[in-house]
Amino acid sequence: MMTLGAQPRQARPRWLELMLLVLPVLLLATGLTTISLARGEAPGQREQAIVAALATALFVSHLWLSLRHPHADEVILPTGAMLAALSMVMVARLEPDLATRQAMWVGVGSVAMLGTLTILPSVGWLRRYRYTWAVLGILLVLSTFVFGIDPNGSGARLWLGVGGVYFQPSEILKVLLVIFFAAYLDDYRELLALSNVRVGPFRLPPLPYLAPLLLMLALALGIIVLQRDLGAALLLFGLFLSMLYVASGRAVYVVGGLVLFAGGASLLYRLFSVVKIRVETWLDPWATADTTGYQLVQGLTALSAGGLFGSGLTYGYPRYVPAVHTDFMIAAIGEEIGLAGTLVVVALYVVLIHRGLRVAMLARDSFGALVAAGLTSVVGIQALVILGGTLKLIPLTGVTLPLLSYGGSSVLANFVLLGLLLAVSGEPRRSADAA
């Protein structure tokens, strides 16, 4: 019989984590030094301060985890830190004026991660306020219809903010919806898994129990589609399907969801010109290489020019790619660090997803397992959507590469996500005791 076995929270050294945390600091120091030398300068005070700040933030995080969450996963933080360090290097290369700001957001994200670990009484506490989290997230996104601004001039008012500091509510919405989905699905997972509702040979989910979940999802998706933030909509729908599958174990739900997705995508293609343009650009970007296909064509050209090992940091021309420091960061990495660098980025996401799923499997209870699986799905789906769009495997949508692309709200939300994963992994584990 499976029982819950509590482990005492005694501080213990986390040597693996400490050794791995050296790598992102070395990566950042080497990258910033290379960029400075290529400009004919020695690394200045700004570069030294950024490296020192990252090292300090990571060491403090390590100490805090050793004292308060000694059993938390020891690979998640170093993997996230590697992506954040590479992000700071690439932002310094592509947009030098934004390097300090990106470093500050990484610092704020680290504080938010530690704050999550500190103020959260337990992961189970989150389920008490499931509807509060969902409504809060939806209200935040809804507020952009009134107070939203468009700092990038993209035509979409997706941000809130004043004085040059902007925040995109949909980044937080995805984390809050993970908590809501996890709490609701955990309550009704047996009903969803053992449903006897049938249409022909197919067993369907009991709709009365699924209705609140679908209502919240429809609200979130509707608002985001109206804002034409199609990347976020795709991410939320993929998150819902993945968590429904994890909770029920029923592949037919996923198949049904994909059929609904195909129907919805077809409808959006007819209703919204932006969807039609993106699909046509995806099918043949070269036909519109001077207009709507320019970004994708430049991105593919940059990736092709990089070859196996790239032209070398600062020796490429990635700034010909529009929005290269946000949506197309991987194109700059591919051109200057090559296929090898691109594969390293992919490997870092694979490691992060593997550790996240491992946390889910070892979680203290089923709610924690669903939270970890949902958060891991967010990282995996988001990385897949933007990498697939950049490589012309799927239509391009405007989402960021988690922890890598420039953007304060993205960095902040993803560090909170890491904090929640560490919190789940740091709780007493399951232990199998023979009955």
Side-chain angles (χ1 to χ4, degrees), residues 93-352:
R93 157 70 182 104
L94 300 169
E95 297 289 344
D97 293 341
L98 298 177
T100 302
R101 176 172 288 204
Q102 182 72 351
M104 288 175 64
W105 277 116
V106 171
V108 171
S110 302
V111 172
M113 181 185 70
L114 291 179
T116 302
L117 289 165
T118 303
I119 64 176
L120 194 64
S122 68
V123 176
W125 176 83
L126 292 169
R127 71 182 301 161
R128 299 181 191 174
Y129 306 100
R130 67 198 72 173
Y131 288 101
T132 304
W133 305 126
V135 171
L136 176 63
I138 290 172
L139 286 177
L140 276 174
V141 177
L142 203 57
S143 66
T144 59
F145 284 93
V146 181
F147 306 107
I149 53 179
D150 178 18
N152 301 326
S154 62
R157 296 166 56 190
L158 305 177
W159 287 263
L160 300 174
V162 291
V165 179
Y166 306 109
F167 173 75
Q168 191 171 5
S170 62
E171 291 288 344
I172 288 295
L173 174 67
K174 64 189 182 186
V175 177
L176 296 177
L177 281 185
V178 165
I179 298 169
F180 170 73
F181 288 159
Y184 195 88
L185 288 170
D186 191 38
D187 287 343
Y188 296 102
R189 63 189 309 167
E190 291 186 3
L191 287 171
L192 294 172
L194 304 175
S195 170
N196 290 320
V197 180
R198 285 183 176 276
V199 174
F202 302 105
R203 284 200 302 176
L204 300 179
L207 291 180
Y209 295 102
L210 210 54
L213 201 65
L214 293 174
L215 178 63
M216 287 294 181
L217 178 66
L219 274 174
L221 287 179
I223 294 169
I224 289 175
V225 168
L226 285 176
Q227 289 182 314
R228 302 190 178 187
D229 190 0
L230 301 177
L234 180 60
L235 172 61
L236 292 186
F237 191 76
L239 168 66
F240 170 72
L241 285 187
S242 63
M243 292 191 70
L244 185 60
Y245 176 71
V246 170
S248 66
R250 302 282 303 279
V252 68
Y253 294 171
V254 178
V255 174
L258 291 176
V259 171
L260 289 175
F261 172 77
S266 177
L267 181 64
L268 291 176
Y269 179 82
R270 289 170 172 76
L271 291 179
F272 295 101
S273 60
V274 63
V275 178
K276 189 173 183 179
I277 290 171
R278 291 195 175 186
V279 171
E280 291 175 351
T281 301
W282 167 56
L283 293 174
D284 186 9
W286 308 99
T288 54
D290 293 331
T291 55
T292 55
Y294 182 77
Q295 185 184 36
L296 183 55
V297 167
Q298 291 299 318
L300 292 171
T301 304
L303 286 167
S304 174
L308 186 57
F309 295 110
S311 60
L313 194 60
T314 74
Y315 290 98
Y317 302 93
R319 295 190 69 174
Y320 282 110
V321 184
V324 69
H325 62 299
T326 54
D327 297 358
F328 269 68
M329 181 74 86
I330 197 67
I333 293 172
E335 181 176 5
E336 299 203 334
I337 313 180
L339 176 63
T342 305
L343 291 179
V344 167
V345 171
V346 173
L348 287 172
Y349 285 118
V350 170
V351 169
L352 200 54

